[in-house]
Amino acid sequence: MVSVAADSAKCGALREELVGELRDLGALRSSPVEDVFRAVPRHLFVPEVPAAEAYAAEQAVVTKRDDLGVAVSSVSAARIQAFMLEQADIRPGMRVLEIGSGGYNAALIAELVGGSGEVTTLDIDPEVVGRARGLLGMAGYGHVRVVLGDGALGAPDSAPFDRIVVTAEASEIAPAWVEQLRPDGRIVVPLRMRGLTRSVAFQRDGDGLVAEDYEVCGFVAMQGSGARAQRLVVLHDDGDRQVGLRLEPGLRVDAEQVRAVLSGDRAESWSGVTLPPRESYADLELWLATALDGHALMTATRQARDHGVVDAWSRGGVAALLDIDGRSFAYLALRPADHERTEYEFGAVGHGPRARQAADALASAVRSWDPAARAVLRAYPASTPTEQLSGCILDGTAYRLTISWPAQRS
């Protein structure tokens, strides 16, 4: 009994530390969400790791991998769960659907809706469903409904919902989610847009949806009928020095030619745009994704950069522009803007026959960015004529997504 009490006190202290850290990170913005992070014992939902690791604010815990070692299910980092719950604005008495089951997030939602609310959590993987059901029951949340199903189809037997919270990366908005949403409901979804993933809080707007609230995030990809894989073109693979291009479906590139030009002549173009260190340039990345028709992401390891293969590195990917010749590309880079390295300048490094043109085009797009602007995302029925839309248009099966920048200077 002494050991159990000591463990309980230790985990209670870890929860308090987590709440403080999430508050400092700006992920917690309201008392109800803060309270549920105090209430739910996160360590019970990630028994695979020590308690201290379970309560790390920025750490996701992978709970299942496929035969290739790729993560297919995880308990998301607490920071991401916190700001998504803030985006969702879940209130007592609501009916909520969670798509993607880990158990912990469903327990947080159950605390938010209270005894008068209902929570359904759904996953396509029977093993994940069984794990979530067992952990929820053990932790005292056996009243949460755990369902096996395709996330893109929602849970029609439990609809309509006040909130739908998707915890897997989606490449488009599933029509079932909108059909199963109450008129004043909200969908929070990690949406992949030209390779970039943002947690977007959509609300109904006539026949479509609108959102101005979005946050950078990362999730395992959705499975089932909603899956849309990206293509990875490997440009360099020498031990730990790896470089590749992540391409959305429909974006074409001459892979062999691009692979060959990486080690050839290069061109640099610098924008004159600077940003202090530790300040996010996530909106610049989203702006470039909307401003560049040939937008892709260049992935690279730190070792590839350190050995001079490329000048920038990111496992998630840095903005890249594929040139119209299909054999040239440029990617976003940074260089110190002063001797103290307190500011850095954005620029572009180009490769290929049209390296200069590609680098100049990417640097020009950086110069056209307005750091004060925030994007507005709208989803329209697929039948909506193009002349009625404005901004960058991303076509999906059921909806046409537009990304516009109302405060963006012309």
Side-chain angles (χ1 to χ4, degrees):
M1 291 295 293
V2 173
S3 176
V4 171
D7 285 348
S8 178
K10 175 186 175 182
C11 290
L14 288 172
R15 282 199 291 281
E16 279 299 324
E17 291 177 13
L18 175 61
V19 167
E21 189 173 356
L22 293 175
R23 195 189 302 115
D24 292 343
L25 290 168
L28 288 176
R29 303 190 290 268
S30 69
S31 295
V33 177
E34 183 174 317
D35 290 343
V36 301
F37 273 88
R38 283 196 177 91
V40 180
R42 181 178 169 94
H43 65 283
L44 296 183
F45 293 92
V46 282
E48 300 88 349
V49 300
E53 191 173 331
Y55 287 102
E58 298 277 17
Q59 184 164 328
V61 179
V62 176
T63 55
K64 184 175 180 180
R65 297 182 184 273
D66 64 15
D67 294 339
L68 299 176
V70 177
V72 295
S73 184
S74 68
V75 175
S76 301
R79 182 185 66 84
I80 291 177
Q81 291 173 315
F83 72 63
M84 288 185 72
L85 292 179
E86 295 284 10
Q87 287 181 308
D89 188 26
I90 297 168
R91 302 173 189 176
M94 284 187 169
R95 301 175 70 179
V96 181
L97 170 64
E98 179 195 36
I99 295 174
S101 298
Y104 177 63
N105 199 57
L108 294 171
I109 295 171
E111 289 283 349
L112 286 169
V113 302
S116 59
E118 296 180 15
V119 181
T120 300
T121 182
L122 176 152
D123 203 281
I124 197 170
D125 188 321
E127 185 177 332
V128 172
V129 166
R131 180 184 184 278
R133 184 177 288 124
L135 292 174
L136 283 162
M138 181 185 65
Y141 297 93
H143 57 288
V144 171
R145 184 167 180 247
V146 186
V147 178
L148 177 66
D150 188 330
L153 304 180
D157 292 346
S158 300
F161 299 102
D162 299 287
R163 301 289 188 265
I164 297 176
V165 180
V166 184
T167 60
E169 179 193 85
S171 62
E172 59 180 311
I173 298 164
W177 302 342
V178 182
E179 293 164 4
Q180 295 170 26
L181 190 69
R182 290 189 188 276
D184 58 348
R186 183 176 298 190
I187 300 170
V188 177
V189 53
L191 193 62
R192 193 180 79 221
M193 300 167 286
R194 289 192 167 174
L196 301 177
T197 305
R198 300 289 186 267
S199 175
V200 185
F202 283 107
Q203 296 195 182
R204 283 192 182 274
D205 182 40
D207 293 335
L209 303 166
V210 63
E212 297 183 38
D213 185 353
Y214 55 89
E215 300 275 357
V216 176
C217 65
F219 278 88
V220 298
M222 182 168 285
Q223 302 176 56
S225 61
R228 299 289 184 275
Q230 291 178 296
R231 178 187 176 199
L232 176 65
V233 176
V234 177
L235 303 183
H236 184 88
D237 189 359
D238 181 12
D240 56 7
R241 307 170 198 176
Q242 301 167 350
V243 182
L245 284 174
R246 282 172 45 203
L247 312 176
E248 287 293 318
L251 193 58
R252 300 189 178 188
V253 63
D254 188 328
E256 291 300 324
Q257 290 287 345
V258 172
R259 198 172 291 126
V261 302
L262 182 62
S263 59
D265 293 339
R266 46 178 258 159
E268 297 182 7
S269 184
W270 296 94
S271 67
V273 176
T274 61
L275 201 67
R278 294 183 297 277
E279 283 199 21
S280 171
Y281 55 92
D283 272 359
L284 170 60
E285 294 177 311
L286 186 58
W287 164 244
L288 293 175
T290 64
L292 303 172
D293 286 338
H295 179 270
L297 292 174
M298 185 192 77
T299 65
T301 60
R302 184 192 294 269
Q303 293 84 352
R305 184 208 57 187
D306 292 346
H307 285 85
V309 181
V310 288
D311 285 12
W313 81 278
S314 168
R315 293 188 182 276
V318 298
L321 169 63
L322 297 178
D323 193 68
I324 55 174
D325 69 354
R327 298 179 296 153
S328 305
F329 75 101
Y331 60 87
L332 188 68
L334 289 167
R335 68 178 181 184
D338 56 20
H339 293 298
E340 293 77 21
R341 294 177 178 262
T342 58
E343 282 194 309
Y344 288 80
E345 180 185 7
F346 292 108
V349 177
H351 293 270
R354 288 173 52 86
R356 169 59 58 189
Q357 291 94 326
D360 284 347
L362 181 47
S364 177
V366 172
R367 281 191 291 272
S368 68
W369 171 54
D370 180 356
R374 286 281 287 177
V376 175
L377 290 77
R378 296 182 184 275
Y380 298 87
S383 59
T384 307
T386 298
E387 56 268 22
Q388 295 182 16
L389 307 178
S390 61
C392 173
I393 302 173
L394 305 179
D395 283 319
T397 305
Y399 290 93
R400 309 187 76 184
L401 183 72
T402 66
I403 308 173
S404 58
W405 300 81
Q408 185 76 33
R409 60 175 176 253
S410 58

